[in-house]
Amino acid sequence: MYEYARMKFYCDENRCIECNACTIACAEAHELPVGINRRKVITLNEGIEGKEFSTSIACMHCTDAPCSQVCPVECFYIREDGIVLHDKDKCIGCGYCLYACPFGAPQFPKDGAFGIRGKMDKCTLCAGGPLPTNSIEEFELYGQNRIAEGKVPMCAAVCSTNALIVGDADSVAEIIRARNAAKGKGTSSPYGWDIAYK
Amino acid sequence: MKKLLPFIGTILLANVPLAEPNKAPINSSSALNSPQLVESIPGWHKFGALFVYIQTHWINILFLIVLLAIPTIFFLHYKVIGPKVFSHKGKKFLIFPPWQRVVHWIAAAGFILLVPTGFLIIYAKFFGGGSFIVFARYLHLIGAILFAIAFIPMTLMWFKEMLPQIWDIKWLLMLGGYLSKEKKEIPAAKFNAGQKMWYWIIVFGGFLMLLTGLLLYLRDFNIALLSTFNLNNLFGIDILRISIIVHLLLAVIIVTFFFTHLYMSIFAIKGAIASMIDGYKSEDELKHLHSIFYKKLINKEEKF
């Protein structure tokens, strides 16, 4: 039987050097406006020796994504490979997905004269949206569709230390296992994975 | 003026954000784009999961009950027990001076925008979503501004008359006499216990709705205020989650009372809405529905 891949993101905190290449590459590749941070690099315990670490965070493309559960217009759809996408034509910018999201992934541009939330924008795992693949309309609303072209998502492609990995769940788990084994560590679930993936 | 120029220059320069070419725009005062974002992930099980549960299991049902059951109950009440009809001839008393009516109608205009657009947002899928609902959200904001303008004057202008009084218990026990057609003297001063409930729901509930709505509108705000309240274990995103839960559940109660208020003023007591238009209530209506207030008015008149 043919099985689809289950796409997952993983950021290795031991390798991330806070170079912000992923955020810049993401913003440039998808031509995101200022204030829309699909991917963020965040440093915790800054300045505390031994405890400081950085991690890169974006939409984790969760199992049973909470955002898709709470959406009042049901504009989310989850692809067979687990990528969570949404339809901006249906989106009303209510912000419920942000409140439901454990990772703060949904981004909202300020819209119009009253400065209310515009239509939601988030990481698409470089898989575009519901519009015709690689059309200009799709690029303008959702950014590049690199998955359709067989390319690695932009952020992982530019990661200089290979801290940020994206791919099929089994392959990602294999890499994590190998890295942990090399350091003599046991198997441990990456930060946030217990919430994102069931 | 020349002496001031260097100072003005410093102030202007201080406001220019200096770009750090190698850094993504991470704002330390932001709650959604700072270490808080990562720290708050394990805390999702508290309010995040609660919001998902409430939104997926209860909100649609609760508002559907409010939207269908409440009007049905009132329709049956109208058909079975029927409205109260009072004579609007004869002596009239000025109850609401013009400025009170203006404040009331500003709040009312706010509500007329807020409630239907709120329903549009909750049942956005039914209405197709997209730009139509985005427009509804604009109106929701305008409604909120109108309500906010009227909120403080309305709270202050009726505060004294809205304080609970002993006969309000009696009113509540007989449900204001609305379960029978019989005309009798109902114990109430200027406002009856039902009106008082509506008032206090607006004062406390309305304040919370404005506050939570403002937080949801601001979305990403400086949480310095939280540390002054010793709420450091709460993250900005948790505040948003609590806000949306409070906003939605409180709306159920407020909308229920809003429908009741509409039914009472337009249908259940014939011509009651006139007192909010021209400010006068008829003697017959006052005598029966606000008997204690009426007796006071009569005593006052006799004294003069």
Side-chain angles (χ1 to χ4, degrees), chain B residues 39-115:
Chain B
E39 285 164 18
S40 66
I41 292 171
W44 180 83
H45 288 296
K46 277 190 289 180
F47 298 109
L50 182 67
F51 169 64
V52 172
Y53 170 73
I54 290 173
Q55 168 66 15
T56 51
H57 289 77
W58 289 105
I59 294 304
N60 282 4
I61 293 288
L62 280 176
F63 279 97
L64 201 66
I65 291 171
V66 171
L67 201 58
L68 297 180
I70 304 292
T72 310
I73 290 167
F74 289 151
F75 182 75
L76 288 175
H77 176 264
Y78 194 81
K79 286 282 155 204
V80 174
I81 297 164
K84 285 188 190 258
V85 184
F86 295 99
S87 161
H88 283 265
K89 280 170 193 144
K91 216 174 162 190
K92 289 198 168 188
F93 296 89
L94 180 70
I95 306 295
F96 301 115
W99 65 277
Q100 289 196 354
R101 275 175 272 148
V102 168
V103 170
H104 171 271
W105 283 113
I106 293 171
F111 258 81
I112 287 163
L113 286 175
L114 282 168
V115 175

Side-chain angles (χ1 to χ4, degrees), chain A residues 18-20 23-24 37 40-44 55 57 66 69-74 89-94 96 98-104 108 110-119 191-192 195, chain B residues 21-26 32-35 37-42 44-45 48 51-52 55-56 121-125 128-131 133-134 137-138 141-142 145 216-219 237 240-241 244 248:
Chain A
E18 201 202 353
C19 68
N20 279 290
T23 60
I24 304 291
N37 308 305
K40 285 152 275 194
V41 175
I42 281 160
T43 303
L44 269 91
T55 186
I57 208 155
Q69 291 180 44
V70 299
C71 182
V73 279
E74 295 180 18
D89 288 334
K90 283 187 197 160
C91 178
I92 58 168
C94 64
Y96 286 12
L98 174 67
Y99 317 139
C101 179
F103 304 99
F108 295 91
K110 292 240 168 172
D111 178 37
F114 297 106
I116 66 168
R117 288 179 300 270
K119 289 174 189 279
Y191 194 79
I195 290 174
Chain B
N22 277 335
K23 279 209 164 180
I26 298 254
L32 300 173
N33 197 356
S34 70
L37 175 64
V38 175
E39 285 164 18
S40 66
I41 292 171
W44 180 83
H45 288 296
F51 169 64
V52 172
Q55 168 66 15
T56 51
I121 296 164
I122 286 160
Y123 297 111
K125 196 189 170 217
S131 40
I133 308 292
V134 175
R137 286 182 54 235
Y138 276 100
L141 193 73
I142 295 168
I145 293 166
L216 295 174
Y217 168 77
L218 292 175
R219 181 161 44 93
I237 186 73
L240 291 182
R241 285 165 185 160
I244 187 68
L248 284 170

Side-chain angles (χ1 to χ4, degrees), chain B residues 161-173:
Chain B
E161 285 119 338
M162 288 294 189
L163 291 171
Q165 284 150 316
I166 191 74
W167 49 77
D168 289 335
I169 301 167
K170 230 164 146 189
W171 189 97
L172 285 172
L173 287 176

Side-chain angles (χ1 to χ4, degrees), chain B residues 125-255:
Chain B
K125 196 189 170 217
F126 182 79
F127 296 99
S131 40
F132 171 57
I133 308 292
V134 175
F135 180 66
R137 286 182 54 235
Y138 276 100
L139 293 182
H140 202 73
L141 193 73
I142 295 168
I145 293 166
L146 284 175
F147 176 66
I149 290 168
F151 178 73
I152 291 170
M154 202 162 68
T155 304
L156 295 177
M157 74 188 184
W158 288 330
F159 185 81
K160 224 175 116 191
E161 285 119 338
M162 288 294 189
L163 291 171
Q165 284 150 316
I166 191 74
W167 49 77
D168 289 335
I169 301 167
K170 230 164 146 189
W171 189 97
L172 285 172
L173 287 176
M174 63 198 285
L175 271 171
Y178 288 108
L179 295 183
S180 74
K181 243 207 135 160
E182 185 194 353
K183 262 195 198 179
K184 55 181 178 185
E185 289 190 359
I186 312 281
K190 184 168 177 177
F191 296 108
N192 63 41
Q195 289 172 303
K196 284 179 183 176
M197 272 158 68
W198 174 226
Y199 171 85
W200 288 109
I201 282 167
I202 286 293
V203 169
F204 291 112
F207 173 74
L208 277 175
M209 290 301 267
L210 284 174
L211 178 72
T212 53
L214 180 70
L215 291 177
L216 295 174
Y217 168 77
L218 292 175
R219 181 161 44 93
D220 202 355
F221 42 88
N222 196 332
I223 42 101
L225 196 71
L226 290 184
S227 44
T228 57
F229 284 115
N230 209 10
L231 289 167
N232 279 328
N233 53 342
L234 276 182
F235 298 104
I237 186 73
D238 281 335
I239 300 292
L240 291 182
R241 285 165 185 160
I242 294 166
S243 293
I244 187 68
I245 292 169
V246 169
H247 202 85
L248 284 170
L249 295 182
L250 214 54
V252 176
I253 299 166
I254 291 177
V255 169

Side-chain angles (χ1 to χ4, degrees), chain B residues 6-28:
Chain B
F7 294 102
I8 295 169
T10 335
I11 291 162
L12 286 176
L13 268 180
N15 288 329
V16 175
L18 296 171
E20 283 186 75
N22 277 335
K23 279 209 164 180
I26 298 254
N27 184 356
S28 59

